[in-house]
């Protein structure tokens, strides 16, 4: 696949994967792609655990679902992540960042804007939303054929020191290589992040993978092959929008936002529709 096509197709997968195991050669390609990432002084501070044993995956899934239900029920999730929620397509179009939950059971739609209030929280708890979401999450993880745990060598990962920053930077590059490789291989990937928000649950995952003391568990992902024409999950969001150049790039000085139209017609292949590029109506000079 063309490089820009891969970059464009890389996505987070919210829905289920096919039950097919991830081929060993594909698992290998994923971690080989990771290994090619840059790291400071070529330190390669990342470590990966590939988990394909059903019982281990189910145990991680239980922890993930439980964590999701707890975070939702206690309201921690909504409080922590409120700034990232958008409530309409218009708001999304204006800001071009965050996530817009556009797919949800119709019973919840009238309460969309209230989910962050105490009333909204108690309505959701009354409808059993946290348990439903927790169970949906457990199933998604349990039915994923592959879990990937990403760790860092604590000799490099020393939070508060430059080395801590560099190692996280390198790990990000390695994970992006894996993420891009999934697009090439017809696979999908999603963070399994809720256990990270509850320290004792994160430790339970460290125990499941028998992580030694000299490593730090940084992230857990679920991976698998993506079915064709996948149906959207009951609760789903849009997050493919990207800021315009003028919203995140400056020219020469941070006082001069980049021109949104600069370099159009450049190297991107024919048909490459980056979400950063202004739509046809803007190119015509219309608002
Ligand atoms: C550090 C980090 C944490 C993330 N945490 C989650 C997460 O907990 N759950 C999830 O589904 N996606 C998570 N994502 C994925 C983002 O939501 C996603 O990249 C963003 O919404 C853009 O969507 P896209 O990946 O489909 O382009 C995370 C991404 C990053 C880089």
């Amino acid at each position: 696949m063309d490089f820009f096509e891969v970059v464009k197709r890389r996505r987070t997968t919210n829905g289920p994967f096919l039950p097919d195991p991830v081929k060993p050669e594909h698992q290998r390609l994923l971690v080989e792609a990771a290994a090619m990432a840059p790291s400071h002084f070529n330190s390669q501070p990342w470590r990966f655990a590939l988990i394909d044993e059903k019982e281990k995956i189910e145990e991680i899934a239980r922890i993930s679902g439980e964590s999701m239900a707890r975070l939702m029920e206690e309201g921690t999730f909504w409080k922590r992540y409120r700034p990232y929620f958008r409530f309409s397509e218009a708001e999304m179009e204006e800001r071009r960042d965050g996530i817009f939950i556009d797919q949800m059971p119709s019973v919840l739609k009238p309460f969309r804007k209230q989910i962050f209030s105490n009333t909204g929280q108690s309505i959701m708890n009354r409808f059993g939303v946290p348990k439903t979401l927790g169970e949906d999450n457990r199933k998604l993880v349990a039915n994923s054929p592959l879990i990937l745990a990403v760790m860092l060598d604590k000799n490099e990962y020393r939070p508060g020191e430059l080395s801590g920053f560099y190692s996280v930077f390198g790990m990000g590059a390695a994970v992006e290589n894996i993420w891009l490789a999934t697009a090439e291989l017809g696979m999908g990937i999603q963070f399994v992040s809720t256990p990270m928000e509850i320290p004792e649950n994160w430790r339970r995952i460290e125990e499941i993978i028998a992580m030694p003391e000299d490593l730090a568990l940084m992230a857990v992902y679920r991976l698998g092959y993506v079915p064709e024409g996948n149906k959207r999950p009951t609760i789903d969001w849009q997050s493919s929008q990207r800021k315009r150049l003028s919203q995140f790039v400056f020219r020469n000085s941070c006082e001069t936002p980049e021109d949104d139209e600069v370099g159009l017609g450049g190297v991107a292949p024919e048909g490459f529709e980056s979400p950063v590029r202004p739509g046809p109506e803007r190119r015509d000079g219309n608002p």
Side-chain angles (χ1 to χ4, degrees):
M1 214 189 289
D2 175 88
F3 172 75
F4 286 101
E5 190 61 26
V6 173
V7 171
K8 193 176 85 178
R9 287 227 203 144
R10 183 217 55 78
R11 281 265 90 82
T12 294
T13 310
N14 304 330
F17 296 127
L18 293 172
D20 317 30
V22 178
K23 294 181 186 144
E25 57 271 33
H26 286 175
Q27 296 192 30
R28 188 184 173 96
L29 281 171
L30 294 174
V31 285
E32 279 182 347
M36 286 177 213
S39 57
H40 70 300
F41 288 99
N42 196 23
S43 53
Q44 305 171 52
W46 45 70
R47 302 288 181 274
F48 300 103
L50 293 160
I51 300 139
D52 56 7
E53 274 177 27
K54 191 76 187 143
E55 310 80 71
K56 284 203 163 84
I57 293 178
E58 282 176 356
E59 181 63 8
I60 293 171
R62 269 195 294 279
I63 297 170
S64 180
E66 252 174 53
S67 308
M68 167 78 87
R70 188 169 138 193
L71 293 167
M72 295 280 170
E73 199 163 312
E74 291 171 355
T76 323
F77 179 88
W78 306 110
K79 280 193 202 94
R80 212 168 266 170
Y81 299 118
R82 182 191 169 119
Y84 304 105
F85 284 84
R86 307 287 166 257
F87 293 98
S88 65
E89 294 202 17
E91 189 185 358
M92 194 69 184
E93 179 50 30
E94 170 61 27
R95 297 201 40 154
R96 304 255 200 137
D97 66 4
I99 68 166
F100 172 43
I101 303 183
D102 61 338
Q103 172 100 346
M104 62 170 76
S106 33
V107 63
L108 290 178
K109 278 191 182 146
F111 307 111
R112 185 158 26 203
K113 280 206 166 180
Q114 292 164 31
I115 54 176
F116 296 106
S117 67
N118 290 339
T119 324
Q121 182 69 54
S122 52
I123 292 170
M124 276 195 297
N125 289 358
R126 209 168 334 124
F127 279 117
V129 174
K131 283 206 174 55
T132 309
L133 290 179
E135 181 54 14
D136 284 357
N137 179 264
R138 185 196 65 74
K139 281 196 215 135
L140 272 184
V141 179
N143 293 321
S144 303
L146 186 68
I147 298 284
L148 174 76
V150 181
M151 295 160 284
L152 278 178
D153 178 350
K154 280 192 194 163
N155 288 317
E156 297 298 332
Y157 176 58
R158 301 191 299 273
E161 292 182 35
L162 262 183
S163 164
F165 168 71
Y166 289 151
S167 54
V168 171
F169 204 105
M171 178 188 73
V175 169
E176 175 68 353
N177 279 3
I178 292 179
W179 215 318
L180 291 170
T182 61
E184 172 72 25
L185 299 172
M187 294 177 62
I189 180 167
Q190 186 182 29
F191 260 88
V192 178
S193 59
T194 52
M196 187 191 279
E197 316 235 357
I198 301 174
E200 65 267 25
N201 285 356
W202 204 230
R203 274 194 296 279
R204 282 164 69 193
I205 296 187
E206 292 171 352
E207 281 161 21
I208 293 170
I209 61 170
M211 192 191 74
E213 279 292 304
D214 60 344
L215 298 182
L217 181 60
M218 304 301 289
V220 173
Y221 295 88
R222 59 179 197 97
L223 296 97
Y225 297 106
V226 181
E228 294 267 330
N230 211 359
K231 200 171 136 260
R232 296 186 78 190
T234 331
I235 297 192
D236 198 13
W237 61 84
Q238 288 183 29
S239 62
S240 56
Q241 293 80 353
R242 292 297 188 267
K243 293 176 195 286
R244 297 182 190 93
L245 291 195
S246 57
Q247 293 175 304
F248 74 103
V249 182
F250 305 99
R251 178 70 61 176
N252 296 318
S253 144
C254 294
E255 288 170 341
T256 318
E258 180 64 297
D259 179 350
D260 283 330
E261 312 278 326
V262 79
L264 285 176
V267 294
E270 191 67 19
F272 175 70
E273 287 183 26
S274 151
V276 169
R277 292 179 169 232
E281 73 289 359
R282 284 183 51 82
R283 261 175 248 158
D284 294 337
N286 298 324

